[in-house]
Amino acid sequence: MAKLPPMDLALEQARAAAMRGEVPVGAVVLGPDSAVLASAGNQTEALRDASAHAELLALREAARLLDTPRLVGCDLVVTLEPCPMCAQAISLFRIRRLIFGAYDPKGGGVEHGARVFDAPSCSHRPEVVGGVRESEAGALLRSFFAARRL
């Protein structure tokens, strides 16, 4: 089986989340050697946990696997601009680089809204690369919400 590029894996996780009735967001944590450590899709409905965002689930699993509370040198790939809660967690986990797909003008916390990494209280600011496969990630979200408005 061929190894999927990280954003492909994140999009696969997002599509799987949508099939479960979750908002289609997927996340992948890459180790310092770029190997996939963990991946997850949203599970807020399944776990009855408002904090069960894809980013947090993947970050927690990677930290568990590495047996450390900080993921220094690790990267996070996610299909949607993280919300303020996830952006703060990304800072606390000391993620080296955040790569995300679709921008979220309404609920984002990185380039929009709270802009967590720009706050003076932010203890760590990762490198941020936004808009990677933005149209594909955005289309997945639009399709998911359009189906619910019918």
Side-chain angles (χ1 to χ4, degrees), residues 108-133:
V110 176
E111 302 289 334
H112 298 89
R115 297 179 188 259
V116 170
F117 303 141
D118 293 337
S121 60
C122 183
S123 58
H124 170 77
R125 177 178 169 68
E127 176 186 340
V128 176
V129 179
V132 176
R133 311 248 320 251

Side-chain angles (χ1 to χ4, degrees), residues 89-145:
I90 290 163
S91 177
L92 293 171
F93 274 100
R94 303 294 193 267
I95 289 295
R96 173 180 58 184
R97 182 180 304 115
L98 165 65
I99 301 151
F100 69 86
Y103 290 88
D104 188 356
K106 183 178 178 186
V110 176
E111 302 289 334
H112 298 89
R115 297 179 188 259
V116 170
F117 303 141
D118 293 337
S121 60
C122 183
S123 58
H124 170 77
R125 177 178 169 68
E127 176 186 340
V128 176
V129 179
V132 176
R133 311 248 320 251
E134 177 181 8
S135 59
E136 188 175 352
L140 183 60
L141 286 155
R142 283 189 300 278
S143 171
F144 176 82
F145 286 113

Side-chain angles (χ1 to χ4, degrees), residues 1-13 15 28 30 34-36 39 133:
M1 181 177 197
K3 180 180 157 189
L4 289 176
M7 186 56 84
D8 284 342
L9 181 54
L11 286 163
E12 187 177 86
Q13 287 286 345
R15 285 190 282 280
V28 176
L30 303 172
S34 297
V36 173
S39 64
R133 311 248 320 251

Side-chain angles (χ1 to χ4, degrees), residues 7 10 25-28 54-55 76-82 98-102:
M7 186 56 84
V25 176
V28 176
E55 300 96 310
L76 177 67
V77 179
V78 63
T79 58
L80 179 65
E81 176 183 350
L98 165 65
I99 301 151
F100 69 86

